[in-house]
Amino acid sequence: DVKVTQSSRYLVKRTGEKVFLECVQDMDHENMFWYRQDPGLGLRLIYFSYDVKMKEKGDIPEGYSVSREKKERFSLILESASTNQTSMYLCASSRTGGNEKLFFGSGTQLSVL
Amino acid sequence: SQKIEQNSEALNIQEGKTATLTCNYTNYSPAYLQWYRQDPGRGPVFLLLIRENEKEKRKERLKVTFDTTLKQSLFHITASQPADSATYLCALDITGNQFYFGTGTSLTVIP
């Protein structure tokens, strides 16, 4: 089975800190995604990547950046964490193609105080 | 921008009945539509995919319909069980590599 692993289940940070969220997948998937999930707003796409060193903005990229130096790893970076970035962050991966499903990690619940 | 609406945030049904969840979308014609299940504190898990040229898809007690004219998908769980209690999300595959999700419907099956 595909496994998508997120480095932390729970994370508490201070306003202004630089935060790194790590995601690793073990099935050689081309595509990787970062979503945030908030009550009443559902999953919103932050960034995605089609290939190593490639990245594309999703719907809400402001305040975030990403890094994909290796195919299996996709990192989400909060340059200067703010309280409105408190959320559940979900990483996902998929193969390239028109009918491929997403495989999600278990999520990281980030609290910014 | 794409708008995806799922019927009522919460749905309660009696065990053994059929649960019907609705997903409506606007502003685009996706080639594929997917349904996911999410349990509390976990990431979503893929359930079913239906293509635009398919009217209906089944998997065990699950059935999905896709009406591209109405821009609507219906997700049915027959003979529902308490273990089916979860949040169900629909997702549109817009470009073949980019997915947009609805806000989800929380289903509770009452024993």
Side-chain angles (χ1 to χ4, degrees):
Chain A
D1 279 351
V2 173
K3 194 167 184 182
V4 179
T5 304
Q6 294 185 231
S7 53
S8 305
R9 288 299 305 274
Y10 302 95
L11 212 52
V12 180
K13 296 293 181 180
R14 296 281 181 192
T15 301
E17 279 192 78
K18 190 168 186 176
V19 182
F20 293 86
L21 302 183
E22 304 286 346
C23 176
V24 177
Q25 51 96 2
D26 66 359
M27 282 298 289
D28 202 37
H29 284 171
E30 295 83 8
N31 305 323
M32 296 189 76
F33 306 82
W34 275 106
Y35 289 88
R36 64 177 281 177
Q37 186 174 30
D38 301 285
L41 296 177
L43 277 81
R44 292 179 292 166
L45 183 62
I46 305 171
Y47 268 97
F48 58 102
S49 170
Y50 294 139
D51 200 351
V52 175
K53 296 193 187 295
M54 302 295 289
K55 61 183 179 184
E56 297 285 343
K57 293 180 180 179
D59 289 332
I60 51 164
E62 296 77 21
Y64 304 94
S65 62
V66 291
S67 172
R68 192 160 180 208
E69 295 296 318
K70 293 185 177 181
K71 191 174 186 179
E72 68 270 19
R73 187 179 298 269
F74 193 35
S75 302
L76 180 69
I77 303 152
L78 286 67
E79 296 291 342
S80 178
S82 63
T83 54
N84 62 13
Q85 292 179 309
T86 292
S87 185
M88 169 69 86
Y89 289 88
L90 289 159
C91 175
S93 71
S94 75
R95 296 194 185 283
T96 294
N99 60 348
E100 297 296 335
K101 57 190 176 184
L102 288 173
F103 293 87
F104 282 89
S106 292
T108 296
Q109 179 61 53
L110 172 67
S111 297
V112 182
L113 306 178
Chain B
S1 63
Q2 187 63 239
K3 188 175 180 182
I4 306 163
E5 291 184 338
Q6 294 190 238
N7 65 322
S8 65
E9 287 188 12
L11 181 65
N12 297 329
I13 64 164
Q14 209 67 36
E15 182 176 5
K17 301 291 187 184
T18 296
T20 298
L21 285 63
T22 305
C23 177
N24 294 295
Y25 59 93
T26 59
N27 299 340
Y28 205 80
S29 298
Y32 308 92
L33 189 145
Q34 302 182 359
W35 284 89
Y36 289 78
R37 169 184 172 140
Q38 186 175 24
D39 292 288
R42 311 297 296 181
V45 175
F46 172 81
L47 294 175
L48 280 170
L49 175 151
I50 188 164
R51 295 175 178 79
E52 61 179 340
N53 60 353
E54 295 177 317
K55 296 295 184 187
E56 183 179 296
K57 198 83 168 277
R58 291 175 184 262
K59 180 183 176 182
E60 298 173 352
R61 294 185 296 110
L62 308 180
K63 184 178 84 171
V64 174
T65 62
F66 194 9
D67 188 326
T68 54
T69 301
L70 292 178
K71 294 187 181 293
Q72 180 182 79
S73 175
L74 299 179
F75 178 79
H76 307 273
I77 306 175
T78 58
S80 59
Q81 305 166 0
D84 295 325
S85 298
T87 295
Y88 292 86
L89 305 163
C90 68
L92 305 186
D93 185 342
I94 301 299
T95 65
N97 289 307
Q98 195 170 342
F99 299 80
Y100 288 89
F101 284 81
T103 53
T105 297
S106 176
L107 174 68
T108 301
V109 180
I110 303 163

